[in-house]
Amino acid sequence: MFIRKINQWFARRSFQNRIFLLILFTSTMVMLAITWYLTDITEERLHYQVGQRALIQAMQISAMPELVDAVEKHDLARIKALIDPMRSFSDATYITVGDATGQRLYHVNPDEIGKSMEGGDSDEALYNGKSYVSVRKGSLGSSLRGKSPIQDSTGKVIGIVSVGYTIEQLENWLSLQLGSLIVPMVILLLLLLYCARRFSLHIKKQMLNMEPQQLSQLLIQQSVLFESVFEGLIAIDSHYKITAINQTARRLLNLSQPETILIGKSISSVIAQEAFFYDAPQENKKDEIVTFNQINVIASRMAVALNGEPQGWVISFRSKDDINTLSLQLSQVQQYADNLRAVQHEHRNLISTIAGLLFLKRYDEALDLIQQQSESHQKVLDFIARNFKVNHLAGLLIGKYYRAKELGLELIFDPGCYVETLPSSLSHNEWISIVGNLLDNAYNATLRQSGGSRQVECLINSEGDEAIIEIADQGCGIDEALRDRIFERGVTSSDSGDHGIGLWLVRSYVEQAGGNIVVDNNIPFGTIFTLYIPLTRDEHHG
């Protein structure tokens, strides 16, 4: 019943106080155990040392020739004259001298002289001639005594010497020795109490001032939250080892191992995309298009910081084909539709003009207009059809060519253009997004430059080990304040609110394919974007 009440009282204390009390109790028990051990060892050692001291004194006294002669003659006065000075210099409680029958010849109490030595431990010395240490109760109480026989020149035992230390005296000495340990033990106990308090405060701080029940509930909530989201989630520590991974992440990455096996593994041994995890550990990453285990995903990385230092990261990712990515690419589809409408609009105007000339029966002028339009556009169309074997890219460039015409610009193709195949690292839609965004940016920059050339130059070639895309304009150029940030999401030099995504997509796709981008100033003004994309990812990394 009492123990149950103690347990209930202990359970009601805060975790910090429980830790402190537990350490205090443990420290106290350890100190008591150490004290008991030291006391036992000290007592045993003291008894041994004092016993040896008593034995040595007894042996030295019994070997004195003067004492042997005085004992043979039973000269009590001479014995007293010999022993009294020794007893004054010795720390022994008493020195007793007896004859061969055990009768006292000398004692600290004169009244005891002539009486038999008490304790019954003299036989070994008197009859067997041995020296030894014993503990017996005598006339002065219990004592630790050293006994040694007195032998004449022939070796015959003629008497006995007993040097004794009372147990009370030994206990006083033991108390003095243990008393010298009290101060260090008290200091040690206080130090343990201080350390226990500091440790309990440290544990409480590490637990964010929460109780174990709160932490348990928080962990359960985190586990449920981890599994309830529709994105893949992976948590890693500062050593880049997995600490948590939800079911969605395992499904998206085609991982068959259960969470218990994956936890503790290095992230690089599970996901083949090291740059995303290790680059700029102090910075967060948001909505980057990367490849995890040959699967294109949109990933974000948030640091778990403590005192400004990252203790780990949480990576969230989703398939690149989800609704968010589709909404980002919807603008590219819309631009492609605008290009087709521009082509339709221009042809409709041309057909309307030809129909009017035919109605007016001006057949020669209608024929001249048809030939003029055919010659000017057919060359470009033939060039695109001849040099761009990828239909999606050729269709985009035709649409962009007519779009430039509609805007009052001229899209000029470099004679070095030739594309038979494109790197397989990117899909057709991604190639259309890259080229379309670069041309649209060039158109916008050219339109904002009132005094510049209205020409935009385009070079696309994939005959070597890598595909090269170069778009040059003579537009307004790039503001120096934005030059280092033009590929970040939402960064734009346009006043319109629907920009800031195009170049971000371009950079994401190029990095995904293992390529790089070079941005130079054009002469006399404008910008040149040059993209280098390897034909295969393996060639780039090899």
Side-chain angles (χ1 to χ4, degrees):
M1 187 67 179
F2 177 74
I3 296 178
R4 181 182 300 175
K5 289 184 177 180
I6 292 294
N7 290 334
Q8 292 175 351
W9 177 87
F10 186 75
R12 288 194 298 268
R13 304 303 99 190
S14 66
F15 179 73
Q16 176 183 343
N17 290 334
R18 276 184 283 170
I19 289 290
F20 175 74
L21 292 174
L22 182 61
I23 296 177
L24 175 61
F25 175 77
T26 304
S27 302
T28 303
M29 296 303 296
V30 170
M31 293 293 295
L32 291 176
I34 293 176
T35 302
W36 174 82
Y37 176 76
L38 291 177
T39 301
D40 186 68
I41 292 296
T42 303
E43 183 179 7
E44 182 180 350
R45 185 174 299 174
L46 179 63
H47 281 216
Y48 174 77
Q49 292 176 348
V50 172
Q52 292 300 310
R53 186 187 305 177
L55 179 61
I56 292 172
Q57 292 183 66
M59 294 174 66
Q60 290 176 340
I61 293 172
S62 65
M64 294 173 58
E66 297 86 350
L67 181 63
V68 173
D69 184 64
V71 170
E72 282 182 327
K73 297 177 181 180
H74 278 70
D75 189 347
L76 300 183
R78 188 179 177 189
I79 294 174
K80 178 178 174 58
L82 289 172
I83 301 302
D84 279 347
M86 294 181 186
R87 192 170 67 83
S88 64
F89 288 108
S90 175
D91 59 352
T93 306
Y94 64 86
I95 299 176
T96 301
V97 178
D99 60 14
T101 62
Q103 298 295 320
R104 295 190 183 101
L105 302 177
Y106 177 84
H107 195 273
V108 293
N109 185 2
D111 296 336
E112 298 293 329
I113 295 175
K115 297 180 181 180
S116 297
M117 300 176 69
E118 299 179 8
D121 55 345
S122 302
D123 292 348
E124 286 291 321
L126 293 174
Y127 301 122
N128 298 325
K130 294 182 178 181
S131 299
Y132 52 89
V133 177
S134 67
V135 179
R136 288 291 189 277
K137 183 177 182 180
S139 60
L140 298 178
S142 298
S143 60
L144 179 67
R145 56 184 74 174
K147 289 184 175 290
S148 180
I150 302 174
Q151 298 174 314
D152 60 12
S153 58
T154 63
K156 179 182 177 182
V157 177
I158 60 174
I160 183 173
V161 175
S162 177
V163 179
Y165 294 83
T166 61
I167 298 299
E168 182 180 357
Q169 183 178 2
L170 294 180
E171 290 177 350
N172 291 334
W173 287 352
L174 180 63
S175 298
L176 290 175
Q177 292 191 21
L178 294 178
S180 64
L181 296 176
I182 291 178
V183 174
M185 296 295 282
V186 170
I187 294 176
L188 181 59
L189 180 60
L190 293 177
L191 180 62
L192 287 174
L193 292 178
Y194 174 77
C195 293
R197 185 65 178 176
R198 296 295 301 175
F199 179 74
S200 63
L201 291 174
H202 174 73
I203 292 296
K204 187 71 173 180
K205 183 178 180 181
Q206 294 296 313
M207 295 170 59
L208 303 178
N209 295 322
M210 289 191 292
E211 293 295 314
Q213 296 84 352
Q214 295 173 310
L215 282 177
S216 176
Q217 183 178 3
L218 185 62
L219 288 174
I220 295 174
Q221 291 175 349
Q222 174 187 320
S223 177
V224 174
L225 181 62
F226 234 62
E227 294 297 338
S228 64
V229 297
F230 293 99
E231 288 190 346
L233 293 177
I234 302 176
I236 58 178
D237 60 18
S238 57
H239 300 291
Y240 301 95
K241 295 186 180 298
I242 297 175
T243 58
I245 179 171
N246 68 349
Q247 183 177 357
T248 305
R250 299 196 301 274
R251 177 178 55 81
L252 290 176
L253 298 175
N254 296 322
L255 300 175
S256 59
Q257 304 96 320
E259 180 183 7
T260 53
I261 295 179
L262 294 174
I263 289 178
K265 286 189 175 182
S266 173
I267 190 66
S268 59
S269 66
V270 177
I271 301 179
Q273 222 298 340
E274 298 185 3
F276 179 80
F277 303 108
Y278 295 97
D279 287 348
Q282 300 284 354
E283 299 177 3
N284 294 326
K285 297 183 178 182
K286 184 173 179 61
D287 290 342
E288 293 197 6
I289 299 178
V290 292
T291 302
F292 287 172
N293 293 349
Q294 300 181 351
I295 301 172
N296 296 330
V297 298
I298 297 178
S300 299
R301 187 190 70 188
M302 298 295 291
V304 180
L306 182 63
N307 297 327
E309 292 295 328
Q311 304 298 312
W313 297 266
V314 175
I315 296 94
S316 61
F317 60 94
R318 59 191 180 276
S319 174
K320 193 172 70 68
D321 297 327
D322 67 4
I323 189 63
N324 293 321
T325 305
L326 294 178
S327 65
L328 290 176
Q329 294 182 340
L330 182 60
S331 60
Q332 304 304 316
V333 176
Q334 184 64 40
Q335 291 176 6
Y336 189 71
D338 291 341
N339 294 336
L340 295 179
R341 283 196 296 271
V343 174
Q344 180 186 17
H345 179 71
E346 184 167 342
H347 278 78
R348 183 179 299 164
N349 291 336
L350 178 60
I351 292 173
S352 297
T353 303
I354 294 173
L357 291 174
L358 293 176
F359 180 77
L360 296 174
K361 297 182 180 181
R362 295 181 181 181
Y363 304 115
D364 294 336
E365 293 182 17
L367 183 60
D368 290 339
L369 179 59
I370 292 173
Q371 290 176 347
Q372 180 183 356
Q373 291 296 325
S374 177
E375 289 176 0
S376 61
H377 294 299
Q378 193 62 41
K379 289 181 180 180
V380 177
L381 297 179
D382 289 343
F383 179 85
I384 294 175
R386 182 174 62 254
N387 291 275
F388 296 96
K389 306 299 184 181
V390 179
N391 294 333
H392 295 77
L393 180 59
L396 173 71
L397 293 176
I398 291 174
K400 291 297 182 183
Y401 172 76
Y402 283 109
R403 177 61 175 167
K405 287 290 184 181
E406 185 181 29
L407 295 173
L409 306 176
E410 183 179 4
L411 178 60
I412 299 176
F413 293 95
D414 190 282
C417 289
Y418 186 81
V419 175
E420 184 170 1
T421 59
L422 289 171
S424 59
S425 55
L426 296 174
S427 66
H428 290 303
N429 288 336
E430 290 166 343
W431 281 106
I432 289 174
S433 178
I434 291 174
V435 177
N437 274 305
L438 291 176
L439 288 175
D440 287 339
N441 283 349
Y443 291 171
N444 293 331
T446 303
L447 292 173
R448 290 201 302 270
Q449 181 67 28
S450 58
S453 171
R454 314 300 283 177
Q455 294 181 344
V456 175
E457 298 176 278
C458 175
L459 168 64
I460 305 177
N461 187 285
S462 63
E463 292 183 287
D465 294 334
E466 57 187 2
I468 300 175
I469 302 175
E470 184 174 275
I471 306 297
D473 64 71
Q474 295 188 26
C476 60
I478 301 174
D479 187 351
E480 289 299 326
L482 299 177
R483 179 174 289 272
D484 295 334
R485 302 174 53 240
I486 57 173
F487 292 105
E488 295 182 11
R489 185 176 181 179
V491 176
T492 178
S493 59
S494 174
D495 296 333
S496 176
D498 58 350
H499 293 270
I501 296 179
L503 288 181
W504 173 75
L505 278 175
V506 170
R507 185 205 63 177
S508 299
Y509 291 145
V510 172
E511 288 183 351
Q512 173 186 331
N516 56 78
I517 305 173
V518 178
V519 182
D520 292 319
N521 292 326
N522 201 359
I523 298 175
F525 36 73
T527 309
I528 303 176
F529 283 86
T530 307
L531 280 60
Y532 301 93
I533 302 176
L535 292 180
T536 62
R537 184 182 297 273
D538 291 338
E539 290 178 8
H540 173 70
H541 290 292

